Amino acid sequence: MNNAIYNFNAPANEPIFEYLKGSKERNALFEELNRQLSRTVEVPCIIGGKEYYTGNTSNIIQPHNHQHKLGVYHNVTEKQLELAVKSALDAHRIWSDLSWTVRASILLKAAELISGKYRYLLSAATMLGQSKNIYQSEIDSVCETIDFLKYNSFFASKIYEMQPASTFNQLNKMEFRPLEGFVFTVSPFNFTAIASNLNMAPVLMGNTTIWKPASTSVLSNYILMKIFMEAGMPDGVINFVPGKGSTIGRRVLSDPMLAGIHFTGSNHTFNSLWRQVTETLPKYRSYPRMVGETGGKDFIFVHPSADPLEVAVGAVRGAFEYQGQKCSAASRMYVPQSLWPIVKSLMVDMCHDMKMGDVTDSDNFMNAVIDEASFDNIMNYIEYAKNSTEAQIICGGNGNKSTGFFVDATIIETTNPYFKTMEEEIFGPVLTVWVYPDQKLTEAVDICDKTSPYGLTGAVFSRDRVAASVICEKLRYAAGNFYINDKPTGAIVGLQPFGGSRASGTNDKAGGEFNLIRWISPRTIKETFRPATEYKYGYMN
Ligand code: NAD
Protein backbone atom coordinates (compact mmCIF):
# COMPACT_ATOMS: atom_id res chain seq x y z
CA MET A 1 0.00 0.00 0.00
CA ASN A 2 1.28 3.41 -0.95
CA ASN A 3 1.40 5.32 2.32
CA ALA A 4 2.30 8.76 1.02
CA ILE A 5 0.45 11.78 2.39
CA TYR A 6 -1.14 13.61 -0.49
CA ASN A 7 -1.68 17.34 -0.86
CA PHE A 8 -5.09 18.37 -2.12
CA ASN A 9 -5.28 22.05 -3.01
CA ALA A 10 -8.50 24.05 -2.84
CA PRO A 11 -10.09 23.59 -6.26
CA ALA A 12 -11.48 26.35 -8.46
CA ASN A 13 -15.24 26.47 -8.96
CA GLU A 14 -16.48 24.96 -12.21
CA PRO A 15 -16.88 27.73 -14.83
CA ILE A 16 -20.50 28.38 -15.82
CA PHE A 17 -21.09 28.00 -19.57
CA GLU A 18 -23.10 30.86 -21.06
CA TYR A 19 -24.91 29.01 -23.88
CA LEU A 20 -25.04 32.11 -26.06
CA LYS A 21 -26.90 31.78 -29.36
CA GLY A 22 -24.68 30.08 -31.97
CA SER A 23 -22.19 28.80 -29.38
CA LYS A 24 -20.78 25.28 -29.57
CA GLU A 25 -22.12 24.39 -26.13
CA ARG A 26 -25.61 25.58 -26.97
CA ASN A 27 -25.73 23.48 -30.13
CA ALA A 28 -24.50 20.43 -28.23
CA LEU A 29 -27.08 20.92 -25.48
CA PHE A 30 -29.98 21.30 -27.92
CA GLU A 31 -28.85 18.22 -29.83
CA GLU A 32 -28.99 16.30 -26.55
CA LEU A 33 -32.39 17.77 -25.61
CA ASN A 34 -33.78 16.66 -28.95
CA ARG A 35 -32.29 13.20 -28.52
CA GLN A 36 -33.90 12.79 -25.10
CA LEU A 37 -37.22 14.15 -26.38
CA SER A 38 -37.32 11.65 -29.22
CA ARG A 39 -37.04 8.48 -27.14
CA THR A 40 -38.16 6.99 -23.86
CA VAL A 41 -35.96 5.53 -21.14
CA GLU A 42 -36.54 2.72 -18.69
CA VAL A 43 -34.92 3.30 -15.31
CA PRO A 44 -34.22 0.23 -13.17
CA CYS A 45 -33.29 -0.05 -9.50
CA ILE A 46 -29.53 -0.60 -9.16
CA ILE A 47 -28.57 -2.77 -6.23
CA GLY A 48 -25.13 -4.27 -5.71
CA GLY A 49 -24.26 -3.05 -9.20
CA LYS A 50 -27.11 -5.09 -10.78
CA GLU A 51 -30.12 -3.64 -12.55
CA TYR A 52 -33.60 -4.74 -11.44
CA TYR A 53 -36.66 -4.22 -13.63
CA THR A 54 -39.49 -4.93 -11.19
CA GLY A 55 -42.37 -4.42 -13.61
CA ASN A 56 -44.09 -2.06 -11.18
CA THR A 57 -43.50 1.17 -13.08
CA SER A 58 -44.29 4.88 -12.76
CA ASN A 59 -44.06 7.49 -15.48
CA ILE A 60 -41.32 10.09 -15.86
CA ILE A 61 -42.98 13.18 -17.26
CA GLN A 62 -42.00 16.73 -18.15
CA PRO A 63 -43.63 19.19 -15.70
CA HIS A 64 -43.94 21.82 -18.48
CA ASN A 65 -45.51 19.34 -20.93
CA HIS A 66 -47.02 16.58 -18.85
CA GLN A 67 -48.42 14.59 -21.73
CA HIS A 68 -44.93 14.00 -23.11
CA LYS A 69 -43.51 10.99 -21.30
CA LEU A 70 -39.73 10.77 -21.03
CA GLY A 71 -39.83 7.20 -19.79
CA VAL A 72 -40.68 5.02 -16.84
CA TYR A 73 -38.91 3.94 -13.68
CA HIS A 74 -39.24 0.68 -11.83
CA ASN A 75 -40.34 0.92 -8.20
CA VAL A 76 -38.29 -1.10 -5.75
CA THR A 77 -39.97 -4.10 -4.08
CA GLU A 78 -39.68 -5.31 -0.47
CA LYS A 79 -37.48 -8.19 -1.61
CA GLN A 80 -35.04 -5.85 -3.33
CA LEU A 81 -34.91 -3.58 -0.31
CA GLU A 82 -33.62 -6.59 1.65
CA LEU A 83 -30.98 -7.03 -1.04
CA ALA A 84 -30.10 -3.33 -0.93
CA VAL A 85 -29.45 -3.47 2.82
CA LYS A 86 -27.36 -6.62 2.42
CA SER A 87 -25.39 -5.23 -0.46
CA ALA A 88 -24.64 -1.93 1.33
CA LEU A 89 -23.40 -3.87 4.36
CA ASP A 90 -21.36 -6.31 2.23
CA ALA A 91 -19.65 -3.48 0.36
CA HIS A 92 -18.83 -1.63 3.58
CA ARG A 93 -15.70 -3.58 4.50
CA ILE A 94 -13.80 -3.31 1.24
CA TRP A 95 -14.88 0.27 0.62
CA SER A 96 -13.97 1.53 4.07
CA ASP A 97 -10.63 -0.31 3.99
CA LEU A 98 -9.59 1.40 0.76
CA SER A 99 -7.18 4.29 0.98
CA TRP A 100 -9.34 7.41 1.13
CA THR A 101 -7.41 8.84 -1.81
CA VAL A 102 -8.74 5.99 -3.97
CA ARG A 103 -12.25 6.93 -2.90
CA ALA A 104 -11.49 10.59 -3.64
CA SER A 105 -10.14 9.65 -7.06
CA ILE A 106 -13.52 8.15 -7.95
CA LEU A 107 -15.26 11.39 -6.97
CA LEU A 108 -12.77 13.43 -8.96
CA LYS A 109 -13.22 11.17 -11.97
CA ALA A 110 -17.02 11.60 -11.69
CA ALA A 111 -16.46 15.38 -11.63
CA GLU A 112 -14.41 15.16 -14.83
CA LEU A 113 -17.05 13.03 -16.55
CA ILE A 114 -19.74 15.58 -15.68
CA SER A 115 -17.57 18.52 -16.71
CA GLY A 116 -16.86 16.96 -20.13
CA LYS A 117 -18.37 13.78 -21.56
CA TYR A 118 -21.74 13.89 -19.77
CA ARG A 119 -22.30 17.62 -19.25
CA TYR A 120 -25.14 17.90 -21.76
CA LEU A 121 -26.66 14.52 -20.94
CA LEU A 122 -27.05 15.40 -17.26
CA SER A 123 -28.09 18.97 -17.90
CA ALA A 124 -30.72 18.06 -20.52
CA ALA A 125 -32.20 15.39 -18.23
CA THR A 126 -32.44 17.94 -15.40
CA MET A 127 -34.02 20.51 -17.72
CA LEU A 128 -36.64 18.13 -19.07
CA GLY A 129 -37.38 16.11 -15.95
CA GLN A 130 -37.28 18.87 -13.36
CA SER A 131 -38.32 21.81 -15.57
CA LYS A 132 -35.19 23.92 -15.25
CA ASN A 133 -34.08 26.41 -17.86
CA ILE A 134 -30.60 26.26 -19.40
CA TYR A 135 -28.99 28.49 -16.79
CA GLN A 136 -30.67 26.96 -13.75
CA SER A 137 -29.71 23.49 -14.90
CA GLU A 138 -26.12 24.45 -15.67
CA ILE A 139 -25.53 26.01 -12.23
CA ASP A 140 -27.14 23.05 -10.48
CA SER A 141 -26.65 19.75 -12.27
CA VAL A 142 -23.25 20.61 -13.74
CA CYS A 143 -21.42 23.26 -11.74
CA GLU A 144 -22.65 22.63 -8.23
CA THR A 145 -22.41 18.85 -8.61
CA ILE A 146 -18.79 19.18 -9.73
CA ASP A 147 -17.99 21.70 -7.00
CA PHE A 148 -19.34 19.36 -4.30
CA LEU A 149 -17.27 16.47 -5.64
CA LYS A 150 -14.04 18.45 -5.90
CA TYR A 151 -14.33 20.54 -2.76
CA ASN A 152 -15.29 17.58 -0.60
CA SER A 153 -12.10 15.75 -1.60
CA PHE A 154 -10.15 18.83 -0.50
CA PHE A 155 -12.10 19.18 2.79
CA ALA A 156 -11.67 15.47 3.53
CA SER A 157 -7.90 15.91 3.21
CA LYS A 158 -8.08 18.60 5.90
CA ILE A 159 -10.02 16.27 8.21
CA TYR A 160 -7.67 13.33 7.70
CA GLU A 161 -4.71 15.60 8.46
CA MET A 162 -5.95 16.20 12.02
CA GLN A 163 -3.99 14.05 14.43
CA PRO A 164 -3.51 14.25 18.20
CA ALA A 165 -0.10 15.02 19.67
CA SER A 166 2.29 12.21 20.69
CA THR A 167 4.86 12.41 23.49
CA PHE A 168 8.23 10.70 24.02
CA ASN A 169 6.80 7.50 25.49
CA GLN A 170 3.50 7.22 23.67
CA LEU A 171 2.14 7.38 20.15
CA ASN A 172 -1.39 8.72 19.67
CA LYS A 173 -3.37 8.26 16.51
CA MET A 174 -6.84 9.09 15.31
CA GLU A 175 -8.43 6.59 12.97
CA PHE A 176 -11.27 8.12 10.98
CA ARG A 177 -13.65 5.18 10.82
CA PRO A 178 -16.78 5.48 8.72
CA LEU A 179 -20.03 4.83 10.59
CA GLU A 180 -20.78 1.21 11.47
CA GLY A 181 -23.62 0.22 9.16
CA PHE A 182 -25.16 1.96 6.15
CA VAL A 183 -26.40 5.48 5.49
CA PHE A 184 -29.92 6.09 4.15
CA THR A 185 -29.86 9.01 1.70
CA VAL A 186 -33.16 10.65 0.81
CA SER A 187 -32.96 13.32 -1.86
CA PRO A 188 -35.35 16.12 -2.93
CA PHE A 189 -36.49 16.87 -6.46
CA ASN A 190 -35.18 20.38 -6.77
CA PHE A 191 -31.39 20.02 -7.02
CA THR A 192 -29.52 17.32 -8.93
CA ALA A 193 -26.36 18.49 -7.14
CA ILE A 194 -27.89 17.85 -3.72
CA ALA A 195 -28.89 14.32 -4.74
CA SER A 196 -25.30 13.68 -5.75
CA ASN A 197 -23.82 15.18 -2.61
CA LEU A 198 -26.17 13.40 -0.20
CA ASN A 199 -24.54 10.18 -1.36
CA MET A 200 -21.03 11.23 -2.21
CA ALA A 201 -20.27 13.03 1.08
CA PRO A 202 -20.77 9.91 3.27
CA VAL A 203 -19.32 7.68 0.56
CA LEU A 204 -16.10 9.71 0.43
CA MET A 205 -15.65 9.15 4.16
CA GLY A 206 -15.91 5.37 3.64
CA ASN A 207 -19.64 4.74 4.10
CA THR A 208 -22.07 2.90 1.85
CA THR A 209 -25.58 4.15 1.07
CA ILE A 210 -29.11 3.20 0.14
CA TRP A 211 -30.37 6.04 -2.01
CA LYS A 212 -34.03 6.90 -2.34
CA PRO A 213 -34.32 9.59 -5.05
CA ALA A 214 -37.39 11.85 -5.29
CA SER A 215 -39.94 10.39 -7.71
CA THR A 216 -39.88 13.61 -9.77
CA SER A 217 -36.13 13.65 -10.35
CA VAL A 218 -35.48 9.98 -11.10
CA LEU A 219 -34.16 10.61 -14.63
CA SER A 220 -31.26 12.93 -13.74
CA ASN A 221 -30.54 10.93 -10.59
CA TYR A 222 -30.30 7.69 -12.58
CA ILE A 223 -27.81 9.37 -14.93
CA LEU A 224 -25.76 10.43 -11.90
CA MET A 225 -25.78 6.84 -10.66
CA LYS A 226 -24.49 5.58 -14.03
CA ILE A 227 -21.76 8.25 -14.02
CA PHE A 228 -20.65 7.21 -10.52
CA MET A 229 -20.42 3.62 -11.75
CA GLU A 230 -18.41 4.59 -14.81
CA ALA A 231 -16.10 6.61 -12.55
CA GLY A 232 -15.24 3.38 -10.75
CA MET A 233 -17.66 3.19 -7.82
CA PRO A 234 -17.62 -0.46 -6.72
CA ASP A 235 -20.86 -2.47 -6.69
CA GLY A 236 -22.99 -2.02 -3.60
CA VAL A 237 -21.40 1.21 -2.39
CA ILE A 238 -24.45 3.18 -3.55
CA ASN A 239 -27.74 1.31 -4.00
CA PHE A 240 -30.30 3.21 -6.06
CA VAL A 241 -33.89 2.42 -5.06
CA PRO A 242 -36.61 4.61 -6.57
CA GLY A 243 -40.12 4.10 -5.18
CA LYS A 244 -42.58 5.22 -2.56
CA GLY A 245 -40.89 7.07 0.31
CA SER A 246 -42.99 5.70 3.14
CA THR A 247 -42.61 2.05 2.02
CA ILE A 248 -38.87 2.33 1.57
CA GLY A 249 -38.48 4.34 4.76
CA ARG A 250 -40.36 1.80 6.86
CA ARG A 251 -38.07 -1.08 5.83
CA VAL A 252 -34.77 0.77 5.86
CA LEU A 253 -35.34 2.61 9.13
CA SER A 254 -36.24 -0.59 10.94
CA ASP A 255 -32.83 -2.12 10.24
CA PRO A 256 -30.49 -2.38 13.25
CA MET A 257 -27.54 -1.39 11.02
CA LEU A 258 -28.95 2.00 10.04
CA ALA A 259 -26.00 4.24 10.88
CA GLY A 260 -27.25 7.58 9.62
CA ILE A 261 -29.74 9.50 7.52
CA HIS A 262 -28.59 12.12 5.04
CA PHE A 263 -31.70 14.00 4.06
CA THR A 264 -32.77 17.08 2.15
CA GLY A 265 -36.45 17.82 1.71
CA SER A 266 -39.37 19.16 3.64
CA ASN A 267 -39.47 19.70 7.33
CA HIS A 268 -42.56 17.45 7.50
CA THR A 269 -40.76 14.44 5.98
CA PHE A 270 -37.63 14.91 8.09
CA ASN A 271 -39.72 15.08 11.26
CA SER A 272 -41.44 11.86 10.32
CA LEU A 273 -38.09 10.11 9.69
CA TRP A 274 -36.76 11.40 13.02
CA ARG A 275 -39.87 10.12 14.83
CA GLN A 276 -39.48 6.66 13.29
CA VAL A 277 -35.82 6.58 14.29
CA THR A 278 -36.67 7.58 17.85
CA GLU A 279 -39.21 4.78 18.09
CA THR A 280 -36.68 2.23 16.83
CA LEU A 281 -33.76 3.55 18.90
CA PRO A 282 -33.23 0.52 21.18
CA LYS A 283 -32.82 -1.74 18.12
CA TYR A 284 -29.94 0.12 16.47
CA ARG A 285 -26.29 -0.88 16.82
CA SER A 286 -25.34 2.83 17.11
CA TYR A 287 -27.20 6.11 17.48
CA PRO A 288 -27.97 7.00 13.86
CA ARG A 289 -26.50 10.33 12.70
CA MET A 290 -29.36 12.57 11.65
CA VAL A 291 -28.33 15.15 9.08
CA GLY A 292 -31.18 16.99 7.43
CA GLU A 293 -31.55 20.23 5.52
CA THR A 294 -35.21 21.13 5.32
CA GLY A 295 -37.53 23.99 4.41
CA GLY A 296 -37.28 27.75 4.52
CA LYS A 297 -39.34 30.92 4.69
CA ASP A 298 -36.58 33.13 3.42
CA PHE A 299 -36.77 36.88 3.74
CA ILE A 300 -35.56 40.12 2.27
CA PHE A 301 -35.43 43.01 4.70
CA VAL A 302 -35.22 46.41 3.09
CA HIS A 303 -33.72 49.35 4.99
CA PRO A 304 -34.95 52.87 4.03
CA SER A 305 -31.46 53.65 2.65
CA ALA A 306 -31.57 50.77 0.12
CA ASP A 307 -31.26 51.21 -3.64
CA PRO A 308 -34.77 50.44 -5.05
CA LEU A 309 -33.51 48.86 -8.29
CA GLU A 310 -31.09 46.56 -6.47
CA VAL A 311 -33.95 45.53 -4.16
CA ALA A 312 -36.36 44.86 -7.02
CA VAL A 313 -33.87 42.77 -9.01
CA GLY A 314 -32.80 40.84 -5.90
CA ALA A 315 -36.42 40.14 -5.01
CA VAL A 316 -37.51 39.10 -8.50
CA ARG A 317 -34.55 36.81 -9.06
CA GLY A 318 -34.59 35.54 -5.47
CA ALA A 319 -38.31 34.77 -5.48
CA PHE A 320 -39.03 33.57 -9.01
CA GLU A 321 -35.96 31.80 -10.40
CA TYR A 322 -36.72 28.10 -10.72
CA GLN A 323 -40.33 29.04 -9.96
CA GLY A 324 -39.50 29.72 -6.31
CA GLN A 325 -38.68 26.05 -5.76
CA LYS A 326 -35.38 26.66 -4.02
CA CYS A 327 -35.23 26.13 -0.29
CA SER A 328 -33.51 29.53 -0.21
CA ALA A 329 -36.08 31.35 -2.40
CA ALA A 330 -37.22 34.74 -1.11
CA SER A 331 -40.83 34.37 -0.05
CA ARG A 332 -41.44 37.22 2.39
CA MET A 333 -40.25 40.78 2.18
CA TYR A 334 -40.27 43.78 4.51
CA VAL A 335 -40.24 47.15 2.74
CA PRO A 336 -40.37 50.65 4.25
CA GLN A 337 -43.33 52.79 3.22
CA SER A 338 -40.99 55.44 1.76
CA LEU A 339 -39.54 52.97 -0.80
CA TRP A 340 -42.52 50.77 -1.53
CA PRO A 341 -44.09 52.76 -4.45
CA ILE A 342 -40.88 52.68 -6.50
CA VAL A 343 -39.87 49.12 -5.53
CA LYS A 344 -43.39 47.90 -6.32
CA SER A 345 -43.51 49.59 -9.69
CA LEU A 346 -40.08 48.18 -10.69
CA MET A 347 -41.01 44.66 -9.61
CA VAL A 348 -44.38 44.67 -11.32
CA ASP A 349 -42.75 45.87 -14.57
CA MET A 350 -40.18 43.08 -14.39
CA CYS A 351 -42.87 40.47 -13.75
CA HIS A 352 -44.93 41.70 -16.71
CA ASP A 353 -41.85 41.44 -18.90
CA MET A 354 -41.01 37.93 -17.69
CA LYS A 355 -41.88 34.96 -19.92
CA MET A 356 -42.82 31.49 -18.80
CA GLY A 357 -43.03 28.22 -20.71
CA ASP A 358 -41.11 25.24 -22.05
CA VAL A 359 -37.47 24.76 -21.06
CA THR A 360 -36.39 24.48 -24.69
CA ASP A 361 -37.46 28.07 -25.36
CA SER A 362 -34.63 30.20 -24.02
CA ASP A 363 -36.78 33.35 -23.89
CA ASN A 364 -38.40 31.89 -20.79
CA PHE A 365 -37.20 33.06 -17.40
CA MET A 366 -39.67 30.72 -15.67
CA ASN A 367 -40.83 27.19 -16.38
CA ALA A 368 -43.28 24.85 -14.66
CA VAL A 369 -43.60 23.80 -11.03
CA ILE A 370 -42.73 20.20 -10.39
CA ASP A 371 -46.07 18.37 -10.33
CA GLU A 372 -49.83 18.62 -9.97
CA ALA A 373 -49.83 18.31 -6.17
CA SER A 374 -47.42 21.19 -5.94
CA PHE A 375 -49.43 23.25 -8.46
CA ASP A 376 -52.65 22.72 -6.45
CA ASN A 377 -50.92 23.53 -3.17
CA ILE A 378 -49.51 26.82 -4.51
CA MET A 379 -52.84 27.81 -6.08
CA ASN A 380 -54.60 27.15 -2.76
CA TYR A 381 -52.32 29.68 -1.07
CA ILE A 382 -52.99 32.21 -3.84
CA GLU A 383 -56.77 31.62 -3.55
CA TYR A 384 -56.50 32.09 0.21
CA ALA A 385 -54.86 35.48 -0.33
CA LYS A 386 -57.45 36.45 -2.97
CA ASN A 387 -60.24 35.74 -0.50
CA SER A 388 -58.66 37.59 2.41
CA THR A 389 -59.38 41.14 3.45
CA GLU A 390 -55.79 41.40 4.72
CA ALA A 391 -54.14 40.83 1.35
CA GLN A 392 -54.20 41.90 -2.25
CA ILE A 393 -52.55 40.37 -5.28
CA ILE A 394 -50.50 43.08 -6.94
CA CYS A 395 -49.07 40.91 -9.69
CA GLY A 396 -49.75 37.44 -11.16
CA GLY A 397 -52.20 35.27 -9.24
CA ASN A 398 -53.12 32.86 -12.02
CA GLY A 399 -52.16 29.32 -12.89
CA ASN A 400 -52.80 26.91 -15.73
CA LYS A 401 -52.19 23.18 -15.66
CA SER A 402 -53.64 22.15 -19.00
CA THR A 403 -50.28 21.59 -20.75
CA GLY A 404 -47.80 22.02 -17.94
CA PHE A 405 -47.96 23.08 -14.29
CA PHE A 406 -47.57 26.82 -14.79
CA VAL A 407 -48.05 29.35 -11.98
CA ASP A 408 -47.57 33.08 -12.57
CA ALA A 409 -44.93 34.98 -10.65
CA THR A 410 -47.19 36.26 -7.90
CA ILE A 411 -46.70 39.15 -5.49
CA ILE A 412 -49.07 39.49 -2.54
CA GLU A 413 -49.18 42.65 -0.42
CA THR A 414 -50.50 42.10 3.08
CA THR A 415 -51.43 44.38 5.93
CA ASN A 416 -50.76 41.62 8.49
CA PRO A 417 -47.07 40.76 9.03
CA TYR A 418 -48.16 37.38 10.39
CA PHE A 419 -50.37 36.57 7.40
CA LYS A 420 -50.36 32.85 6.47
CA THR A 421 -48.22 33.41 3.35
CA MET A 422 -45.67 35.35 5.46
CA GLU A 423 -45.24 32.31 7.72
CA GLU A 424 -45.61 29.05 5.80
CA GLU A 425 -43.33 27.60 3.14
CA ILE A 426 -45.22 27.55 -0.17
CA PHE A 427 -42.41 26.33 -2.44
CA GLY A 428 -43.63 28.15 -5.51
CA PRO A 429 -43.34 31.57 -7.22
CA VAL A 430 -45.14 33.54 -4.52
CA LEU A 431 -43.64 36.51 -2.69
CA THR A 432 -45.56 38.24 0.11
CA VAL A 433 -44.69 41.81 1.06
CA TRP A 434 -45.43 43.62 4.29
CA VAL A 435 -44.91 47.37 4.13
CA TYR A 436 -43.73 48.83 7.44
CA PRO A 437 -43.78 52.46 8.60
CA ASP A 438 -40.20 53.81 8.32
CA GLN A 439 -40.21 54.94 11.95
CA LYS A 440 -41.05 51.37 13.07
CA LEU A 441 -37.84 49.85 11.67
CA THR A 442 -36.75 48.20 14.93
CA GLU A 443 -40.16 46.59 15.47
CA ALA A 444 -40.18 45.40 11.85
CA VAL A 445 -36.81 43.64 12.30
CA ASP A 446 -38.15 42.02 15.43
CA ILE A 447 -41.25 40.82 13.60
CA CYS A 448 -39.08 39.42 10.80
CA ASP A 449 -37.14 37.38 13.36
CA LYS A 450 -40.25 36.01 15.05
CA THR A 451 -42.56 35.39 12.12
CA SER A 452 -41.65 31.97 10.81
CA PRO A 453 -40.36 28.77 12.42
CA TYR A 454 -37.62 28.47 9.78
CA GLY A 455 -34.08 29.87 9.80
CA LEU A 456 -32.53 29.14 6.42
CA THR A 457 -31.67 32.25 4.37
CA GLY A 458 -32.28 35.96 4.57
CA ALA A 459 -31.02 39.20 3.10
CA VAL A 460 -30.80 42.84 4.03
CA PHE A 461 -30.60 45.60 1.45
CA SER A 462 -29.13 48.83 2.79
CA ARG A 463 -26.74 51.54 1.64
CA ASP A 464 -26.22 52.45 5.28
CA ARG A 465 -23.51 49.93 6.17
CA VAL A 466 -23.85 50.43 9.94
CA ALA A 467 -27.59 49.81 9.78
CA ALA A 468 -26.98 46.65 7.73
CA SER A 469 -24.63 45.43 10.41
CA VAL A 470 -27.12 46.10 13.23
CA ILE A 471 -29.87 44.25 11.34
CA CYS A 472 -27.48 41.37 10.61
CA GLU A 473 -26.79 41.03 14.34
CA LYS A 474 -30.46 41.22 15.35
CA LEU A 475 -31.34 38.51 12.85
CA ARG A 476 -28.50 36.26 14.00
CA TYR A 477 -30.62 33.13 14.35
CA ALA A 478 -33.14 33.96 11.62
CA ALA A 479 -30.88 32.61 8.84
CA GLY A 480 -27.95 30.21 8.49
CA ASN A 481 -27.00 31.96 5.24
CA PHE A 482 -27.28 35.73 5.46
CA TYR A 483 -26.74 38.15 2.57
CA ILE A 484 -26.00 41.86 2.55
CA ASN A 485 -27.16 43.63 -0.61
CA ASP A 486 -27.72 40.36 -2.48
CA LYS A 487 -30.58 37.96 -3.10
CA PRO A 488 -30.86 35.14 -0.54
CA THR A 489 -30.34 32.35 -3.13
CA GLY A 490 -27.36 31.05 -5.11
CA ALA A 491 -24.90 29.81 -2.47
CA ILE A 492 -21.72 28.48 -4.07
CA VAL A 493 -19.79 25.49 -2.75
CA GLY A 494 -16.52 26.54 -1.13
CA LEU A 495 -17.66 30.17 -0.88
CA GLN A 496 -20.92 30.13 1.10
CA PRO A 497 -21.30 26.78 2.93
CA PHE A 498 -25.05 26.19 3.03
CA GLY A 499 -27.63 25.34 5.70
CA GLY A 500 -29.87 26.79 8.34
CA SER A 501 -31.13 26.02 11.82
CA ARG A 502 -34.44 26.36 13.68
CA ALA A 503 -36.95 24.31 11.62
CA SER A 504 -34.66 24.44 8.57
CA GLY A 505 -32.50 21.54 9.60
CA THR A 506 -29.45 20.41 11.49
CA ASN A 507 -27.25 23.07 9.83
CA ASP A 508 -24.36 20.78 8.99
CA LYS A 509 -23.40 22.98 6.03
CA ALA A 510 -23.39 20.90 2.87
CA GLY A 511 -20.15 21.23 0.94
CA GLY A 512 -17.81 21.66 3.90
CA GLU A 513 -15.90 19.94 6.69
CA PHE A 514 -18.83 20.27 9.09
CA ASN A 515 -20.90 17.92 6.99
CA LEU A 516 -18.12 15.41 6.27
CA ILE A 517 -17.33 15.12 9.97
CA ARG A 518 -20.84 13.76 10.57
CA TRP A 519 -19.98 10.69 8.49
CA ILE A 520 -17.06 9.48 10.57
CA SER A 521 -16.79 7.90 13.99
CA PRO A 522 -13.19 8.49 15.02
CA ARG A 523 -11.22 5.92 17.03
CA THR A 524 -8.32 7.11 19.17
CA ILE A 525 -5.42 4.69 19.51
CA LYS A 526 -2.78 5.18 22.19
CA GLU A 527 0.36 3.05 22.20
CA THR A 528 2.61 3.20 25.27
CA PHE A 529 6.33 2.40 24.95
CA ARG A 530 7.08 2.14 28.66
CA PRO A 531 4.12 0.37 30.26
CA ALA A 532 3.69 0.71 34.05
CA THR A 533 5.19 -2.11 36.17
CA GLU A 534 4.04 -0.97 39.61
CA TYR A 535 0.40 -0.51 40.60
CA LYS A 536 1.16 2.03 43.38
CA TYR A 537 1.56 5.72 42.66
CA GLY A 538 4.47 7.76 44.07
CA TYR A 539 2.35 9.66 46.58
CA MET A 540 1.54 6.33 48.30
CA ASN A 541 5.16 5.63 49.29
P1 NAD B 1 -40.17 16.06 0.30
O1 NAD B 1 -39.98 16.13 1.77
O2 NAD B 1 -41.56 15.94 -0.20
O3 NAD B 1 -39.36 14.82 -0.28
C1 NAD B 1 -37.98 14.65 -0.04
C2 NAD B 1 -37.66 13.19 -0.21
O4 NAD B 1 -38.26 12.45 0.86
C3 NAD B 1 -38.20 12.57 -1.49
O5 NAD B 1 -37.27 11.66 -2.00
C4 NAD B 1 -39.44 11.84 -1.00
O6 NAD B 1 -39.84 10.79 -1.83
C5 NAD B 1 -38.93 11.33 0.33
N1 NAD B 1 -39.97 10.91 1.28
C6 NAD B 1 -41.20 11.44 1.46
N2 NAD B 1 -41.83 10.80 2.48
C7 NAD B 1 -40.97 9.86 2.94
C8 NAD B 1 -41.00 8.88 3.97
N3 NAD B 1 -42.08 8.75 4.76
N4 NAD B 1 -39.94 8.09 4.16
C9 NAD B 1 -38.83 8.22 3.40
N5 NAD B 1 -38.73 9.14 2.41
C10 NAD B 1 -39.78 9.94 2.19
O7 NAD B 1 -39.42 17.33 -0.34
P2 NAD B 1 -39.34 17.75 -1.89
O8 NAD B 1 -40.70 18.21 -2.32
O9 NAD B 1 -38.65 16.73 -2.70
O10 NAD B 1 -38.35 19.00 -1.79
C11 NAD B 1 -38.81 20.25 -1.39
C12 NAD B 1 -38.44 20.53 0.04
O11 NAD B 1 -37.04 20.38 0.21
C13 NAD B 1 -38.74 21.96 0.45
O12 NAD B 1 -39.28 21.98 1.74
C14 NAD B 1 -37.37 22.63 0.42
O13 NAD B 1 -37.27 23.77 1.24
C15 NAD B 1 -36.50 21.51 0.87
N6 NAD B 1 -35.09 21.70 0.48
C16 NAD B 1 -34.20 22.11 1.42
C17 NAD B 1 -32.88 22.34 1.08
C18 NAD B 1 -31.90 22.82 2.12
O14 NAD B 1 -30.71 22.77 1.86
N7 NAD B 1 -32.34 23.26 3.28
C19 NAD B 1 -32.46 22.16 -0.23
C20 NAD B 1 -33.39 21.72 -1.17
C21 NAD B 1 -34.70 21.49 -0.80
Side-chain angles (χ1 to χ4, degrees), residues 248-510:
I248 298 171
R250 211 173 306 119
R251 166 60 189 93
V252 172
L253 299 179
S254 70
D255 198 281
M257 295 308 286
L258 175 80
I261 297 182
H262 202 191
F263 175 85
T264 300
S266 66
N267 168 266
H268 172 81
T269 307
F270 192 49
N271 289 355
S272 116
L273 297 178
W274 200 305
R275 267 194 298 272
Q276 290 176 69
V277 165
T278 309
E279 280 159 19
T280 320
L281 217 46
K283 269 184 73 178
Y284 297 129
R285 170 79 59 95
S286 319
Y287 286 100
R289 294 278 165 89
M290 302 293 289
V291 178
E293 295 303 331
T294 61
K297 188 68 194 171
D298 312 295
F299 60 84
I300 292 178
F301 194 93
V302 184
H303 185 263
S305 67
D307 179 304
L309 181 60
E310 290 172 7
V311 171
V313 170
V316 164
R317 282 190 168 180
F320 303 132
E321 278 182 325
Y322 192 40
Q323 299 76 260
Q325 299 172 116
K326 300 188 184 188
C327 49
S328 53
S331 62
R332 55 186 168 121
M333 182 151 114
Y334 303 81
V335 190
Q337 247 160 10
S338 57
L339 288 189
W340 180 229
I342 172 83
V343 170
K344 176 176 167 178
S345 143
L346 287 165
M347 285 172 67
V348 169
D349 284 353
M350 286 175 211
C351 288
H352 286 157
D353 182 57
M354 200 183 280
K355 294 196 174 65
M356 179 165 64
D358 198 286
V359 295
T360 55
D361 180 349
S362 63
D363 282 348
N364 293 327
F365 181 81
M366 284 175 64
N367 311 103
V369 300
I370 195 70
D371 59 14
E372 186 165 18
S374 181
F375 176 92
D376 292 344
N377 181 46
I378 299 164
M379 291 310 297
N380 282 341
Y381 276 103
I382 294 175
E383 281 310 309
Y384 178 87
K386 279 183 181 168
N387 294 327
S388 168
T389 52
E390 293 181 322
Q392 78 178 108
I393 309 277
I394 60 167
C395 181
N398 297 310
N400 185 334
K401 61 177 174 182
S402 55
T403 312
F405 306 113
F406 294 108
V407 180
D408 284 351
T410 299
I411 303 175
I412 300 170
E413 183 181 343
T414 180
T415 52
N416 173 7
Y418 299 107
F419 190 63
K420 189 180 168 80
T421 62
M422 290 293 280
E423 289 190 325
E424 295 176 16
E425 184 181 48
I426 301 173
F427 223 56
V430 181
L431 174 68
T432 309
V433 181
W434 179 60
V435 182
Y436 68 87
D438 290 45
Q439 67 280 14
K440 293 264 169 87
L441 172 73
T442 311
E443 289 91 327
V445 175
D446 204 38
I447 287 171
C448 175
D449 187 35
K450 286 196 302 225
T451 298
S452 143
Y454 296 105
L456 192 54
T457 76
V460 60
F461 278 84
S462 173
R463 279 185 286 202
D464 177 337
R465 187 59 187 80
V466 174
S469 169
V470 171
I471 292 170
C472 180
E473 277 312 303
K474 289 191 117 196
L475 296 176
R476 178 179 233 190
Y477 285 100
N481 283 63
F482 195 83
Y483 297 80
I484 298 175
N485 292 323
D486 206 342
K487 64 185 169 60
T489 59
I492 291 179
V493 179
L495 304 182
Q496 297 99 23
F498 191 78
S501 56
R502 293 187 176 164
S504 291
T506 54
N507 198 12
D508 290 292
K509 296 289 187 217

